[in-house]
Each structure stands twice: as structure tokens, then as C-alpha cells.
Amino acid sequence: MFELLHSDTSYPAESRILEAGCGVGVQTVILAKNSPNALITSVDISEASVIEAKKRVTVAGLTNVRFEQADIFNLPHGQDSFDHLFVCFVLEHVSRPVEVLHTLRNYLRQGGTITVIEGDHGSIYFHPDSEAARRAIQCQVELQRRAGGNAMVGRELYPLLIRAGYRSVRVSPRMVYVDSSKPELIERFTKKTFTAMIEGIRESAIKAGMIEPQVIEKGIRDLYRTTESDGVFCYTFFKAVGNK
Amino acid sequence: MFELLHSDTSYPAESRILEAGCGVGVQTVILAKNSPNALITSVDISEASVIEAKKRVTVAGLTNVRFEQADIFNLPHGQDSFDHLFVCFVLEHVSRPVEVLHTLRNYLRQGGTITVIEGDHGSIYFHPDSEAARRAIQCQVELQRRAGGNAMVGRELYPLLIRAGYRSVRVSPRMVYVDSSKPELIERFTKKTFTAMIEGIRESAIKAGMIEPQVIEKGIRDLYRTTESDGVFCYTFFKAVGNK
């Protein structure tokens, strides 16, 4: 799955990369490995996340990343400080994605690129189909919306980047298609990434009164059901690249 | 779009191909062009369709196709008569897809391949999102269901082929992603193929009491709305290849 999203992103030696919103550094490790001679600055507003990201990168033996705890709306960097921007799984959490993209553009040199990767929970479908599973997923979408985010932001990358002033924007969908001929994807994606995430919001969704306990239980069971021998699960990520 | 679905299907010279369910020959023309020296037999149960398909292939100047009006459950061919099977946009119309695939398998030689292509109306999403547009699409799904078909069969190709006895089945999704950087796809796919199809079922859906006239009108307008400069439209086809 990392391959699917990251394999075509590699920056030249000495180029200055800003990873805006690095979180706990899961993407940072891949980014740094794929661009071993680029100079990566990874920023997150959460100090706890930065500490964990730093640890993760150190454990991976990578030395081309420096970390900063900072607000992306107010970075300690001047205009045109970076050759390229990398923004992965960040826009889904923000309420004003165009403003974020537009602000980040200030730090980018003329001609530099921005790369944005997001998922889209409205891209999910599966076999056997299940109303309960769809409702369970809808809880995740709704919880994220209430937190100010947008779990279906993937499909919007093109208009968002255009509105933020980038040009030559090209978007490519990256679909994860899982059937029983792909046991590794069943384990790593359908079970341990996606369905685990829905299990993780079970209590919050019930507490928020969004769904009855037995419905979300059934929804989660039905998501696991898609990993059986006749099951299929589909999810699409979107990757956009634009220029300043 | 034809490229997306067909470009990786080309059969060797002299190989015997059965196109089961050729309809009015839209796919036949592409199939025959991509395999100019294969011997293609295209079958459909409707005589009117076969006549139209024949005309279409003649106009295209193709001479490697012969047509038969026949029921695919009872073809005038013996066992193992064909090296490869090609089945495109057929399963969506049948109520017993496994039986169709299983019957067709009899006509295939040991080691031959089957190629199946289908869409999936549950794979559609767009920006701006619209409840009315989703309901309009749901009418098409429901009308097809009442006619004995399944407009969401694409995602099921893997289990269907396995259950019908094929082996080494591999499925690849073919996603059509349309944003305003792709004016040709907007015209040819979002407007003239997909939205035109939904417009085509407007009267039947209203007559069947599935939807209020003003809702389907709004749904159609909202589908056209996705073709504006900030709009996005996504649809996924599935292509499966299996062996006997």
C-alpha cells in the first residue's frame, strides 16, 4: 500500500522538502527513504507527535530529516524556503483546506511542486454489500466532520489545489482492490487498517448516539465478512501534484 | 475509455474467439481491431442486435468477425470449440451469472482464457456530492434489478469466476477519474455516456414510482454540475481474466 501511494515521489539530492503535518512520522519514514539525499523538514503542531516521529525516523536509521513543532499557518521559515511540499493525510483533518494549501504555497519557491495524498471514505464499496457496514463507515465520516474534518476530501483535491493557486494540477486515483487472491492486502489493509479504524470509533459513535450498538457490531462483522474467500473490498486514495 | 478497457486484450493470429453477448457490436469493433488476425465469433440472442452489429463491423471495414443469432445457453458449437472467451457488459443483465459463466466454460478449450468486463454503479461518486444525484443513480440500479440484472456486478467478478470453475483469476479495476483538466472525458464519459443514461431512465423511474419528478430532475442537473470547472466524477469498471 505504501508503494501504491509513494513509489512515484522521489526528490533530487539537496532539494529542500517541507512535509507539512507529519503526525507520528509514518509517512516521513517512507518519504525520507525514497529521497535519501533530499533535505526534509517535517513539521507538526503536536509536540507529542513530533517526539514520536523523531524516534521512528531514528529507529529507521534515517538522517535526512529534521523536525519542528510548529503551526503550519505560522512556520519559522521565510518565503520560498522550500523546493517541494509534501502533504499526506492532513487535509482530511482541517476545516479550511484551501487556506492551508494557500498558506503553504508562500513557503514554496516559484516552479516548485506540491504533492498531496488523501483517502476518500465515500470511495468504499465491498461484496457482500451490507447496509450495516455502510452505516458504520458513515459514523466515521460523521465523527470526522464534527471534528472539523472531511473524510471524503480525496475526490476534491483537484478543485482545492486550483482554488489555492497551484497550476498544472494532475490527480491520479490509487485504488486498493482486495479479493482473496491477495491475502497480504486482506491482512494489512482491509483488516488491520480499515476495519480496525472502524472498530476504533465504535464507542464514540455509540456514545454520540449515531448508531445502535448492535448495528455497528454487525457492520464491523460484515466488514470482516468481506475478507472471506468470496469477498471483495475497494478503497481509493487520491494523489495530486501541482506547481507554483 | 475504450483504451482503458480494451488495450490489454489482443488475441493471437488464428485463435478462435467467442464473444458472448455482442449486443449491437460496439465492443465487437474494438475487439476485432485489436486482434486483426483472430477468428471472432460474436453471438447475441437478439436478431435485431446481430443485424446492427453486423452493419457496424462492415462499416468499420473489418472482416474477421462472423455473427450468430443464438442463446448462449445453447450455442451451435461443440465442447472446446474456442481458444478464448470475451464477455463484456453482459453479466450486468443476467440473473444467474455463475450459470452463464459455467455454461460458456464448456465451449472453451483447456488452458484457454475468459475475459470479462463489467461496470459497477456502486463505484460512482462525485463532487459536489448530491443526494438527488445519488437517488437518481439508485433508480437505474433498481430498474436493472427488477429486469433481473445487477448494475453493481463489477465488484463481484472475482467470486463469480471462481464459483464458475475458472482458475488463476485476476481482476483489475479500471477507474475513470474525470476533473476539468480532462474536457474530452467530461464530454464523452460524464455527459454523453453516464448522465445521458440516467436521463434515459427518467420516465421509467417516475412511472415506476421510484422517485419524484423534481428529485430526478435535480439529480440529473447535479450530475451535469459535476462537469463544471470545480467538479469531479469517478466511475470504476472491472476487468477479469481467468483460465480453464
Side-chain angles (χ1 to χ4, degrees), chain A residues 14-18 39 41 66 75-85 101-113 166 243-244:
Chain A
E14 308 303 321
S15 58
R16 303 158 302 166
I17 315 301
L18 172 65
L39 311 166
T41 302
R66 62 174 213 181
L75 290 180
H77 295 281
Q79 287 220 336
D80 311 334
S81 298
F82 295 97
D83 298 303
H84 304 287
L85 305 177
L101 293 169
H102 190 259
T103 302
L104 288 173
R105 193 171 169 279
N106 292 324
Y107 304 109
L108 185 60
R109 71 158 164 84
Q110 203 63 36
T113 69
Y166 296 90
N243 289 75
K244 178 170 178 178

Side-chain angles (χ1 to χ4, degrees), chain A residues 217-238:
Chain A
E217 285 299 340
K218 176 165 170 28
I220 290 164
R221 275 200 310 279
D222 288 350
L223 287 172
Y224 280 115
R225 172 68 184 83
T226 71
T227 67
E228 291 181 23
S229 67
D230 63 346
V232 172
F233 186 88
C234 300
Y235 187 97
T236 299
F237 295 92
F238 290 82

Side-chain angles (χ1 to χ4, degrees), chain B residues 14-125:
Chain B
E14 308 302 321
S15 58
R16 302 159 302 166
I17 314 304
L18 173 65
E19 183 193 14
C22 64
V24 295
V26 178
Q27 314 302 321
T28 313
V29 169
I30 310 157
L31 182 68
K33 276 187 184 161
N34 288 345
S35 299
N37 300 308
L39 311 167
I40 300 167
T41 302
S42 293
V43 172
D44 203 275
I45 198 165
S46 152
E47 195 178 355
S49 291
V50 167
I51 289 169
E52 197 170 332
K54 217 178 258 186
K55 202 185 302 175
R56 201 180 290 261
V57 160
T58 306
V59 167
L62 296 158
T63 57
N64 56 334
V65 186
R66 61 173 212 180
F67 287 94
E68 285 170 5
Q69 185 272 315
D71 181 350
I72 50 179
F73 279 107
N74 190 19
L75 289 179
H77 295 281
Q79 287 220 336
D80 310 335
S81 299
F82 294 97
D83 298 304
H84 303 287
L85 306 177
F86 185 82
V87 186
C88 186
F89 304 141
V90 172
L91 299 186
E92 61 170 317
H93 300 297
V94 306
S95 53
R96 294 166 302 164
V98 173
E99 271 182 68
V100 169
L101 294 168
H102 190 259
T103 302
L104 288 174
R105 192 172 169 279
N106 292 324
Y107 303 108
L108 185 61
R109 72 159 166 82
Q110 203 63 37
T113 70
I114 183 170
T115 296
V116 183
I117 300 174
E118 294 289 342
D120 190 317
H121 284 10
S123 75
I124 302 164
Y125 47 100

Side-chain angles (χ1 to χ4, degrees), chain B residues 139-150:
Chain B
C139 290
Q140 160 76 26
V141 172
E142 179 59 19
L143 285 168
Q144 199 155 341
R145 196 188 65 75
R146 292 187 190 180
N150 177 5

Side-chain angles (χ1 to χ4, degrees), chain A residues 8 65 70 87 118 143 149 156 171 178 181:
Chain A
D8 54 344
V65 186
V87 186
E118 294 289 341
L143 285 168
E156 292 187 46
V171 172
V178 189
S181 70

Side-chain angles (χ1 to χ4, degrees), chain A:
Chain A
M1 202 186 94
F2 288 145
E3 276 288 297
L4 180 76
L5 302 182
H6 290 272
S7 64
D8 54 344
T9 298
S10 175
Y11 298 107
E14 308 303 321
S15 58
R16 303 158 302 166
I17 315 301
L18 172 65
E19 183 193 14
C22 64
V24 296
V26 178
Q27 315 302 322
T28 314
V29 169
I30 310 156
L31 181 68
K33 276 187 184 162
N34 288 345
S35 299
N37 299 308
L39 311 166
I40 300 167
T41 302
S42 294
V43 173
D44 203 276
I45 197 164
S46 153
E47 194 176 357
S49 292
V50 167
I51 289 168
E52 196 169 333
K54 217 177 256 183
K55 204 185 300 172
R56 199 178 292 260
V57 159
T58 307
V59 167
L62 296 158
T63 56
N64 55 334
V65 186
R66 62 174 213 181
F67 287 94
E68 287 170 3
Q69 185 273 316
D71 182 350
I72 49 178
F73 279 108
N74 190 18
L75 290 180
H77 295 281
Q79 287 220 336
D80 311 334
S81 298
F82 295 97
D83 298 303
H84 304 287
L85 305 177
F86 184 82
V87 186
C88 186
F89 304 143
V90 172
L91 298 186
E92 62 169 317
H93 299 296
V94 307
S95 53
R96 294 166 302 165
V98 173
E99 272 182 66
V100 170
L101 293 169
H102 190 259
T103 302
L104 288 173
R105 193 171 169 279
N106 292 324
Y107 304 109
L108 185 60
R109 71 158 164 84
Q110 203 63 36
T113 69
I114 183 168
T115 295
V116 183
I117 299 174
E118 294 289 341
D120 190 317
H121 285 10
S123 75
I124 302 163
Y125 46 100
F126 36 80
H127 177 75
D129 196 11
S130 153
E131 168 74 18
R134 282 188 269 119
R135 284 197 54 202
I137 294 165
Q138 201 48 43
C139 291
Q140 161 75 26
V141 172
E142 178 59 19
L143 285 168
Q144 199 155 342
R145 196 188 66 75
R146 292 188 190 179
N150 176 6
M152 309 199 296
V153 74
R155 74 188 72 174
E156 292 187 46
L157 294 187
Y158 183 87
L160 292 174
L161 281 158
I162 295 287
R163 280 173 60 200
Y166 296 90
R167 54 185 182 75
S168 305
V169 177
R170 49 271 183 205
V171 172
S172 61
R174 313 280 165 119
M175 184 168 167
V176 183
Y177 165 82
V178 189
D179 64 34
S180 66
S181 70
K182 302 172 183 198
E184 209 206 334
L185 271 179
I186 286 179
E187 280 308 310
R188 284 182 46 211
F189 187 72
T190 313
K191 288 186 180 171
K192 293 189 178 153
T193 303
F194 190 79
T195 307
M197 177 181 71
I198 300 299
E199 282 188 287
I201 58 115
R202 173 170 38 195
E203 299 313 319
S204 323
I206 294 168
K207 208 172 285 176
M210 285 174 187
I211 195 166
E212 306 73 45
Q214 68 276 19
V215 176
I216 194 162
E217 285 299 340
K218 176 165 170 28
I220 290 164
R221 275 200 310 279
D222 288 350
L223 287 172
Y224 280 115
R225 172 68 184 83
T226 71
T227 67
E228 291 181 23
S229 67
D230 63 346
V232 172
F233 186 88
C234 300
Y235 187 97
T236 299
F237 295 92
F238 290 82
K239 182 167 185 173
V241 180
N243 289 75
K244 178 170 178 178

